[in-house]
Amino acid sequence: MISSAVYTVMFYGLSAAVILLAVLAVNLRQLLRAALALMGMLSLSAGLYVLLHAEFLAGVQVLVYIGGIVVLIVFAIMLTRSSELLEDHPRPLAQVLGALLSMFFLFVAALALRDTRFPVQVQTGPPVDDVRQIGLLLLDRGATGYLVPFELLSLLLLVAIIGGTVIARKVAPPKQPFTTGGDARGETITESARTQRDIVPGEGAP
Amino acid sequence: MEYIFVLAMVGLAAAMVGGGLFFSRLVAPHNPGGNKSVPYECGEQPIGQAWIQFNVGYYLFGLLFLVFDVEAALMYPWAVVFRSTGLPGLIEMLIFVLVLVIGLIYAWRKGVLEWV
């Protein structure tokens, strides 16, 4: 078993690194560096879950958040016009409002954490298999099981697919040529949003 | 604790990457300028900026991947208890997967899976 001193050191070290990387992810101007910082922050929070013996959650964190959601966020940012993003300097009023809202959220979160009673289970005997218990609870049809939320989850994911498809297809026409750059006719890429759509498929670069 | 190996692995990996960067900085000549700072495009001169507007197809593929990523993550606990839950567990999981397959078919019919 891990000694409490090592545990404390690891907890504070991981937490400090997570906070540092989160601040970097928000403040870095280069998209890829910010994405890397976000990935580092998420993987280190997976380390925090491991410290809490929530191995399944840590695995899901790595698989879903780092593997999927960061990539999705990067794609979503790449869909926007890059020049707008780089020249985006929010006005002081917006900055103050943002800071106030963030502090309000922090306050509410701290209140919620303070008023929640977390039941402490003193564990005796051999450690239980975490993933096994989750599996049994997810498929349990009884009153204590989570079968209905589990099946509803698939509906939620279905809504995500359909909603994403419907919204994104309004943004772009279906026959937009696949391209990673605007080099088909040698035009500069800053005006790619308009010109790429006019390129006839088949005329593109090799 | 078994995670000591993870820590050792992280330390080793960081030392390898950091050591490589450190020694190459120590040994390699350093005179930047000219074409050296141009992004590498397999020998071609890049036109315009590297940060362009992406095709929306990437985003939809990413979204589809994410949905089935979550599905795969939720299948792990089921796989662990597969023997004890038996046929009812299989049916429950099949319902879960079938609902997602409806989404996949929808996306397919709407042409999300087609490039160009």
Side-chain angles (χ1 to χ4, degrees), chain A residues 180-198:
Chain A
T180 54
D183 55 350
R185 285 184 292 186
E187 70 270 271
T188 50
I189 297 167
T190 40
E191 52 186 308
S192 61
R194 186 162 303 281
T195 49
Q196 273 180 20
R197 219 163 280 163
D198 300 330

Side-chain angles (χ1 to χ4, degrees), chain A residues 55 63 79 151 180 189, chain B residues 3 47 52-54 69 92:
Chain A
E55 278 91 357
L63 201 70
L79 284 175
E151 301 289 0
T180 54
I189 297 167
Chain B
Y3 288 102
I47 302 161
I52 54 145
Q53 195 173 21
F54 261 54
D69 204 23
E92 285 161 9

Side-chain angles (χ1 to χ4, degrees), chain A residues 71-86:
Chain A
V71 175
L72 208 61
I73 291 174
V74 169
F75 281 161
I77 294 174
M78 298 289 264
L79 284 175
T80 61
R81 296 292 297 266
S82 55
S83 54
E84 281 172 25
L85 207 67
L86 282 174

Side-chain angles (χ1 to χ4, degrees), chain B residues 6-22:
Chain B
V6 178
L7 271 184
M9 196 69 199
V10 167
L12 264 179
M16 277 180 79
V17 174
L21 285 174
F22 175 73

Side-chain angles (χ1 to χ4, degrees), chain B residues 96-110:
Chain B
F96 182 78
V97 173
L98 271 178
V99 172
L100 289 180
V101 167
I102 294 171
L104 183 64
I105 291 172
Y106 176 83
W108 185 12
R109 293 287 301 159
K110 290 288 176 182

Side-chain angles (χ1 to χ4, degrees), chain A residues 2 55 63-64 72 78-79 82 85 132 135 139 141 150-151 153-154 157-158 166 169 177-178 180 189 193, chain B residues 1 3 47 51-56 58 62-63 69 73-74 77-78 80-81 92 96 99-100 103 106 110 112:
Chain A
I2 192 166
E55 278 91 357
L63 201 70
V64 174
L72 208 61
M78 298 289 264
L79 284 175
S82 55
L85 207 67
R132 194 178 174 77
L139 299 178
R141 275 152 306 182
F150 175 63
E151 301 289 0
L153 195 61
S154 70
L157 292 172
L158 181 68
V166 168
R169 301 204 59 81
F178 164 65
T180 54
I189 297 167
Chain B
M1 191 175 178
Y3 288 102
I47 302 161
W51 193 350
I52 54 145
Q53 195 173 21
F54 261 54
N55 191 310
V56 75
Y58 284 109
L63 187 71
D69 204 23
L74 283 170
W78 170 64
V80 172
V81 295
E92 285 161 9
F96 182 78
V99 172
L100 289 180
Y106 176 83
K110 290 288 176 182
V112 171

Side-chain angles (χ1 to χ4, degrees), chain A residues 46-194:
Chain A
L48 284 178
Y49 296 152
V50 168
L51 277 187
L52 290 169
H53 290 283
E55 278 91 357
F56 180 69
L57 198 58
V60 169
Q61 172 95 348
V62 172
L63 201 70
V64 174
Y65 275 81
I66 301 172
I69 287 181
V70 172
V71 175
L72 208 61
I73 291 174
V74 169
F75 281 161
I77 294 174
M78 298 289 264
L79 284 175
T80 61
R81 296 292 297 266
S82 55
S83 54
E84 281 172 25
L85 207 67
L86 282 174
E87 289 153 17
D88 176 37
H89 297 292
R91 283 171 300 153
L93 178 68
Q95 287 183 342
V96 170
L97 271 179
L100 278 179
L101 268 177
S102 311
M103 278 192 278
F104 177 69
F105 179 72
L106 180 69
F107 181 66
V108 170
L111 272 188
L113 271 178
R114 201 197 61 181
D115 289 346
T116 309
R117 290 278 156 267
F118 296 102
V120 178
Q121 288 180 341
V122 180
Q123 199 170 318
T124 52
V128 285
D129 193 344
D130 187 33
V131 183
R132 194 178 174 77
Q133 276 211 321
I134 293 174
L136 285 176
L137 279 175
L138 274 185
L139 299 178
D140 184 7
R141 275 152 306 182
T144 53
Y146 289 88
L147 181 63
V148 175
F150 175 63
E151 301 289 0
L152 282 179
L153 195 61
S154 70
L155 279 182
L156 184 71
L157 292 172
L158 181 68
V159 170
I161 296 181
I162 294 176
T165 309
V166 168
I167 293 170
R169 301 204 59 81
K170 271 184 198 159
V171 175
K175 291 298 175 190
Q176 195 175 11
F178 164 65
T179 172
T180 54
D183 55 350
R185 285 184 292 186
E187 70 270 271
T188 50
I189 297 167
T190 40
E191 52 186 308
S192 61
R194 186 162 303 281

